[in-house]
Amino acid sequence: MIRRLGSLLFLLLILLTNGCEIGKTQAVGEDDEIIVFADSAVWYSSEAIFRDVFEDTVFTPIPERWFKLRWTPMEQFREFEKHKNRLIVGTLDGGGQVSTYVQQALDSTVMALVEEGKEFFFVKYDSRARGQLTMFMASPSISTLQVSMRHRAADLLYYFKRMSLKRELAAIEAERRYHKKEIEESLARRFGWSMTIQHDYWVAIDSSEERFFWIRRANPADMERWIWVHWIDNANPDTLTDRFVIRLRDALTKKFLKTTDDNAYVEIAPYNLEIQTVDFLGRFAYEMRGNWRFSDKSGGGPFINYTFYDAETKRIYMLDGSIFAPRVEKKKLIIQVDGLLHTFNVVPTERTKVADAGR
């Protein structure tokens, strides 16, 4: 992965030099729509693969698509030059408008790498507008393109998903003057960590003894977002495994996330659970995505969870965002809570610094 990313960055410098963002307008269009420019021969022969890769399913628990593809004629290229998500696909043996456009964008060095099959996609940010992602694909033929897409499907989807998160973080930062800064400062002072607290979230649990902090948002009333943080002091990083993460989350939600009558509690639903290791804010972490449900099966929804060890504070942190919105699409809500989780930052207090010095 490091080699691929390194070569990708090298190719970006050769092929696509980012321009200055000053004076650029904000990108337009839907966050989950990708405008696809491809010659008809490429599109019709590969449409199923394109949709498998970019319209991948997110289980919320009703299946939703991460993105929706919109194949667009090259004649409308300029009409969509400021769209948020663009995909431009061509082959080296193709003679159509899009393939010709892609071929002309490649210099001899990049062309050689494409011909040898060493690289086939390139990414450019903010090409014509702020918050825009344009992905170029180039391959010797349609058949090699199809093979490459299937082989690198996760990488291709990653860039568009990551861009959605970057847009959400930009939106959070743009509203900073409305955030509850007094709570953020209190978290840093008392617990040694902080995160963004948006104006319409309220504190449900704030326990230093239990090392558990939970905020909720119910706006509108039938659409809830829950974000909570738990930490373990003097933790052993060797205990951090995927099984540990599952057990810990279930133990915490059983204790703290209960119905008002205490007759049911939140637990991980035993389907569509995904756990992988990721880089979360510069740390090795377990990312867990899936669905939660009440123990009496009366309701549920999607969640995203990050668990990691922080060497500076000698702690294991678990960060979790959950959605309860029975009648609406939940994909955008997941991105919103994911954005807030990514505002987390460790702020060592004098107390933790003294404790560390004594170890």
Side-chain angles (χ1 to χ4, degrees):
M1 176 62 77
I2 292 175
R3 184 200 65 79
R4 290 204 301 266
L5 291 177
S7 61
L8 177 59
L9 292 173
F10 172 72
L11 288 173
L12 288 176
L13 292 174
I14 297 174
L15 176 64
L16 303 166
T17 302
N18 282 333
C20 182
E21 292 187 35
I22 297 176
K24 290 182 180 177
T25 58
Q26 196 69 31
V28 299
E30 299 296 326
D31 282 343
D32 63 350
E33 182 180 56
I34 301 176
I35 302 299
V36 182
F37 296 99
D39 296 323
S40 58
V42 173
W43 176 254
Y44 287 125
S45 62
S46 310
E47 179 181 359
I49 300 176
F50 278 110
R51 296 198 185 280
D52 284 346
V53 172
F54 294 103
E55 295 186 350
D56 191 30
T57 303
V58 52
F59 296 96
T60 64
I62 298 174
E64 299 176 22
R65 292 178 296 173
W66 273 116
F67 294 94
K68 296 171 288 188
L69 299 184
R70 180 178 173 183
W71 182 49
T72 306
M74 193 62 175
E75 289 77 12
Q76 298 181 27
F77 187 81
R78 294 191 64 84
E79 297 178 31
F80 291 92
E81 69 175 358
K82 296 186 177 181
H83 200 278
K84 289 181 178 178
N85 302 307
R86 299 190 301 166
L87 178 60
I88 305 171
V89 187
T91 61
L92 302 188
D93 64 354
Q97 287 181 287
V98 183
S99 289
T100 300
Y101 177 86
V102 172
Q103 292 163 19
Q104 292 173 349
L106 304 180
D107 71 7
S108 58
T109 304
V110 176
M111 181 74 78
L113 291 172
V114 173
E115 290 173 341
E116 295 169 8
K118 293 182 178 179
E119 295 293 348
F120 85 102
F121 75 94
F122 320 96
V123 178
K124 182 173 176 58
Y125 297 99
D126 306 321
S127 174
R128 293 290 183 266
R130 297 194 309 275
Q132 181 185 60
L133 172 63
T134 301
M135 177 179 286
F136 288 78
M137 285 191 197
S139 194
S141 65
I142 292 176
S143 61
T144 56
L145 173 69
Q146 293 173 348
V147 171
S148 296
M149 288 181 63
R150 291 197 182 280
H151 180 63
R152 300 285 296 278
D155 294 337
L156 295 170
L157 182 61
Y158 166 83
Y159 283 95
F160 286 99
K161 290 168 64 175
R162 190 69 181 178
M163 192 64 198
S164 295
L165 179 60
K166 289 176 66 175
R167 293 190 192 108
E168 182 61 33
L169 287 169
I172 291 172
E173 182 61 29
E175 298 177 350
R176 172 148 290 281
R177 64 184 181 278
Y178 302 114
H179 298 169
K180 294 183 175 179
K181 298 182 182 63
E182 68 284 358
I183 299 179
E184 298 174 4
E185 293 169 358
S186 175
L187 292 173
R189 184 178 63 255
R190 295 183 297 126
F191 299 150
W193 60 265
S194 188
M195 65 184 303
T196 294
I197 309 295
Q198 291 180 313
H199 71 282
D200 45 5
Y201 276 85
W202 52 277
V203 178
I205 296 177
D206 181 351
S207 175
S208 58
E209 292 183 354
E210 300 285 358
R211 298 177 300 283
F212 191 85
F213 179 81
W214 179 23
I215 57 174
R216 302 174 64 174
R217 176 182 177 183
N219 183 20
D222 60 346
M223 184 189 301
E224 287 221 31
R225 274 152 278 194
W226 308 333
I227 293 177
W228 52 265
V229 179
H230 172 68
W231 61 101
I232 301 173
D233 291 321
N234 301 314
N236 180 356
D238 294 335
T239 64
L240 191 57
T241 64
D242 52 358
R243 292 185 178 181
F244 170 85
V245 170
I246 293 173
R247 290 196 302 268
L248 178 60
R249 187 186 192 277
D250 269 344
L252 292 169
T253 57
K254 184 176 182 179
K255 184 173 185 178
F256 296 110
L257 275 63
K258 300 180 180 180
T259 55
T260 54
D261 58 8
D262 283 344
N263 288 332
Y265 53 84
V266 168
E267 63 182 6
I268 297 173
Y271 50 83
N272 299 323
L273 183 65
E274 298 179 353
I275 303 180
Q276 61 179 330
T277 58
V278 298
D279 181 316
F280 179 74
L281 303 176
R283 303 174 181 87
F284 172 89
Y286 282 93
E287 177 190 274
M288 179 166 53
R289 292 176 182 261
N291 292 288
W292 63 269
R293 68 182 183 187
F294 288 118
S295 55
D296 62 1
K297 317 300 190 295
S298 61
F303 76 89
I304 180 169
N305 179 290
Y306 297 101
T307 307
F308 58 90
Y309 175 77
D310 178 68
E312 185 175 10
T313 56
K314 306 296 189 300
R315 286 174 171 175
I316 287 177
Y317 287 96
M318 176 172 279
L319 283 56
D320 196 278
S322 302
I323 304 297
F324 181 66
R327 286 174 291 278
V328 301
E329 188 176 73
K330 303 165 188 63
K331 176 179 58 183
K332 177 61 178 177
L333 302 178
I334 295 173
I335 296 172
Q336 289 177 356
V337 298
D338 196 9
L340 288 177
L341 296 181
H342 274 80
T343 67
F344 179 90
N345 65 299
V346 172
V347 187
T349 63
E350 290 303 317
R351 177 179 58 80
T352 59
K353 290 178 182 177
V354 171
D356 287 344
R359 295 190 182 105

